[in-house]
Each structure stands twice: as structure tokens, then as C-alpha cells.
Amino acid sequence: TPKIKYRLEKSLFYALIAKKMKQYNIDINHVVRHFDVTGKHCPVYLMDSKAWNIFKKELERRYIFTKGLQQSF
């Protein structure tokens, strides 16, 4: 269903960004939108400050969880 596909894509999106954060040692304060760099309205659904802050909090949560998993092996 479209709802399940959306949730899966969103989860993969978080995973990819968290992986790149770890790979390049980027902390959450240095994750930016295209808009922050170029002024382009992209991604549109993160243009709203509230949505962006929610996104960053979830990304940080997943990043910390992923780091913790990798350190425990």
C-alpha cells in the first residue's frame, strides 16, 4: 500500500543519512537541507521549521541507536 511504501522509504532515508553521518563524522548540528545551502525549496516537506526539527530529532535518535549497536559488537 502507499502508506507502507512511504514508511519504508522514510525509514531508508533516515538510515542512509545516519550512515553518511557516521562515515564522514558529521554531527546533527551540521546536517542541513538543500534550502539552507542553495535556497532551493527542497525537500518541500521539510521546509517548515517544525517539520525540520522533528526530522532532525528522529535522525539523531536513529544515529545514536545505530552508533550504539555498532560499538557493542
Side-chain angles (χ1 to χ4, degrees):
T1 67
K3 194 172 191 177
I4 292 171
K5 183 180 177 193
Y6 171 77
R7 286 182 181 168
L8 177 60
E9 288 173 351
K10 191 173 179 182
S11 184
L12 292 172
F13 185 53
Y14 281 117
L16 175 64
I17 296 170
K19 179 180 177 180
K20 293 299 179 184
M21 287 172 67
K22 183 178 181 331
Q23 180 181 357
Y24 295 107
N25 196 29
I26 300 170
D27 67 76
I28 195 68
N29 295 317
H30 290 93
V31 175
V32 297
R33 305 167 286 189
H34 292 157
F35 175 76
D36 298 321
V37 177
T38 67
K40 181 179 178 186
H41 287 222
C42 176
V44 173
Y45 56 88
L46 294 177
M47 292 299 300
D48 174 68
S49 293
K50 183 178 177 184
W52 176 237
N53 288 330
I54 290 169
F55 174 83
K56 283 182 72 173
K57 284 180 185 175
E58 179 62 17
L59 177 60
E60 183 174 36
R61 186 187 71 77
R62 290 179 187 227
Y63 175 70
I64 290 169
F65 177 76
T66 302
K67 266 183 91 171
L69 281 178
Q70 291 173 349
Q71 289 175 356
S72 66
F73 287 107

